[in-house]
Amino acid sequence: MPSEEPRPAPVLRRPPDPADRVIWEPSERWVRGTKGDVTVVDSRRPVLVWEPGRPVPLYAFPREDVRTDLLRETVRPATGRHAGATVFYDLEARGGTVTEAAWTYPGEELAGYIAFAWFGREVLDHWSEEDEEIFVHPRDPHKRADALPSARHVQVGIEGTIVADTRSPVLLFETGLPVRYYLPREDVRLDLFTPSGHRTRCPYKGEATAYWSWSGGGDVPPDIAWSYPDPLPAVGAIGDRVAFYNEAVDLTVDGERLERPASGFIRPRPRPR
């Protein structure tokens, strides 16, 4: 009998993390957090913590790596946040108090660790991993941001007008997000846009300090294009280039019109028929 052809191995996808419990893993990064000129956290043995329902991690630190003399237990903390934590701490530094700036997790696994708030609150002024400042939240070791130069032909259209046309983009592949196409400034019609004062920060790319809004009217969201003049070294290839929200422009790559993705950054608008 003829032998059967070997079957290809199935493609396995990493299962999602459980939605009902805290996930954590140790990190070997040297992490520091400061408030003004005061170092509040200085740890070479933090742990990364993923709370239920949060797509990005937090850091928790051994108690002995934290200036606990600056912490006071919160008298009436809001409950139901941070995976069941009930012990919260106010931070007293630089002559002021930040309420519920830190907390401890229940259970034995993370006993002796203290976590600090990052999201939407300026609890500490600066965080760094080794000697590089990080923003917004700790970097997730299971996610990547790869900036790859390409020879693809990329065109960007807004309201029927071609606003960018290049054959030398840099493609940014960031885990879980749409591919972003960073284009040379000379290939973008920036005269059709108005600079805005909008700024954003990203733990993987750095600070986007240049944004532009479309000047041509129509149902186009503001701050549709942006640039990282001085990105973090890992994605240095995107430096000073211009990217657009795929969700709200018409992208054509190598002659193929791309579908507008759905994401939490901007609500996609259906293309006119």
Side-chain angles (χ1 to χ4, degrees):
M1 296 176 60
S3 60
E4 291 184 2
E5 290 291 328
R7 296 181 179 180
V11 176
L12 300 179
R13 181 178 181 275
R14 181 174 178 264
D17 292 329
D20 59 349
R21 64 186 179 94
V22 169
I23 305 294
W24 67 273
E25 64 181 51
S27 172
E28 296 184 357
R29 300 188 182 197
W30 180 18
V31 179
R32 285 161 289 174
T34 61
K35 186 74 171 176
D37 58 356
V38 178
T39 299
V40 179
V41 175
D42 188 335
S43 180
R44 289 172 169 81
R45 45 185 182 156
V47 296
L48 285 160
V49 180
W50 288 263
E51 296 182 349
R54 289 190 184 272
V56 294
L58 290 161
Y59 271 126
F61 307 96
R63 182 177 289 270
E64 53 268 32
D65 294 344
V66 176
R67 284 283 305 272
T68 55
D69 59 302
L70 302 176
L71 301 180
R72 303 288 182 268
E73 186 170 339
T74 304
V75 177
R76 294 185 180 84
T79 58
R81 296 182 293 115
H82 298 298
T86 55
V87 179
F88 283 81
Y89 299 95
D90 300 339
L91 172 67
E92 296 181 358
R94 296 186 67 191
T97 299
V98 182
T99 60
E100 299 183 25
W103 63 91
T104 56
Y105 290 101
E108 297 182 1
E109 286 190 332
L110 293 175
Y113 285 82
I114 298 176
F116 280 79
W118 290 55
F119 309 109
R121 300 183 64 196
E122 298 297 332
V123 172
L124 299 188
D125 297 330
H126 299 284
W127 286 99
S128 62
E129 292 175 341
E130 301 300 328
D131 285 340
E132 187 169 280
E133 187 170 9
I134 52 175
F135 312 103
V136 187
H137 62 77
R139 296 167 181 153
D140 189 327
H142 303 290
K143 295 182 179 179
R144 293 182 60 92
D146 297 311
L148 304 180
S150 176
R152 299 199 198 202
H153 183 198
V154 178
Q155 292 178 305
V156 180
I158 298 179
E159 295 291 322
T161 299
I162 299 299
V163 300
D165 190 326
T166 190
R167 293 182 182 272
S168 56
V170 169
L171 275 59
L172 185 76
F173 298 90
E174 193 169 351
T175 305
L177 298 178
V179 178
R180 301 300 189 193
Y181 298 84
Y182 282 79
L183 316 178
R185 286 198 182 210
E186 59 268 24
D187 293 340
V188 179
R189 291 280 312 275
L190 286 177
D191 59 301
L192 301 176
F193 297 84
T194 303
S196 78
H198 191 53
R199 302 164 70 99
T200 57
R201 301 189 299 175
C202 171
Y204 304 100
K205 301 185 288 294
E207 294 187 271
T209 57
Y211 270 82
W212 294 268
S213 295
W214 169 244
S215 300
D219 185 18
V220 180
D223 302 315
I224 195 70
W226 68 90
S227 179
Y228 287 86
D230 186 23
L232 295 175
V235 293
I238 69 172
D240 214 32
R241 288 170 170 257
V242 179
F244 293 84
Y245 278 113
N246 313 32
E247 298 89 333
V249 300
D250 295 319
L251 266 174
T252 301
V253 179
D254 290 336
E256 179 183 354
R257 177 73 72 84
L258 304 186
E259 290 293 328
R260 292 183 177 180
S263 76
F265 291 98
I266 199 167
R267 181 169 295 178
R269 177 175 54 84
R271 290 199 202 103
R273 295 184 179 275

